[in-house]
Amino acid sequence: MTRIDRSPTAVSGSAAVAIGLLALAPGVYDLTALLAGVVGFVALAVGVTRGVTGAVTIGATALLLASVLAGIDGAPVEALLVGVTATVIAWDAGGTAITLGDQLGSDADTVRLEAVRLGASALVGTVTAVGGYAVYRTAGGGVPSLALLCLLVAAALLASALR
């Protein structure tokens, strides 16, 4: 009898970690945000490596917190949108890697499925970020804190909808 390896799949797992690095972008503008982002990235990477969904979620939450902290400290909106979008995509990819590994095994041929899922997540995230940025640019100058908070809440709702 052959034993099935239930570890996370390599394609989505690797993508989650790589995109998680991109989610650290807002940390360039604030040391506290960078620290929160690094903690989040490590938790995300450990969760994806070991197949622990809770660690992936905690890591993504810390990465999102890093974007919020950087936004409070005045980081550019572009960096915040990149950070939040990358966080949501990394969280989704990490969850996908764990779920596919649990259900089909990591040796199953899921490359096409994972590529389509990652592409769709990236497309939805990019369209949402570009739309949010367009609203921001159209609304005028300055960065009202309420508008930034609304963008971050919208990103969290998007993440919830992807699940």
Side-chain angles (χ1 to χ4, degrees):
M1 183 156 107
T2 304
R3 182 175 157 92
I4 296 175
D5 180 9
R6 300 287 180 188
S7 60
T9 58
V11 173
S12 290
S14 299
V17 172
I19 295 167
L21 279 175
L22 187 60
L24 292 171
V28 172
Y29 299 95
D30 181 59
L31 181 60
T32 308
L34 180 61
L35 292 174
V38 168
V39 168
F41 174 76
V42 169
L44 177 83
V46 167
V48 167
T49 303
R50 298 198 177 179
V52 181
T53 306
V56 171
T57 301
I58 289 169
T61 302
L63 285 167
L64 184 63
L65 176 65
S67 291
V68 170
L69 291 172
I72 289 171
D73 199 41
V77 172
E78 296 85 0
L80 299 176
L81 288 172
V82 167
V84 170
T85 302
T87 297
V88 172
I89 295 170
W91 174 65
D92 184 53
T96 299
I98 293 169
T99 301
L100 286 175
D102 282 345
Q103 293 178 355
L104 302 175
S106 64
D107 294 331
D109 184 16
T110 58
V111 173
R112 182 179 292 172
L113 169 70
E114 292 176 89
V116 169
R117 175 74 183 229
L118 283 168
S121 292
L123 178 66
V124 169
T126 301
V127 167
T128 303
V130 168
Y133 187 68
V135 168
Y136 165 75
R137 295 298 291 175
T138 305
V143 183
S145 298
L146 182 60
L148 178 62
L149 181 63
C150 288
L151 282 174
L152 293 173
V153 168
L157 291 174
L158 171 65
S160 175
L162 284 174
R163 280 288 167 200

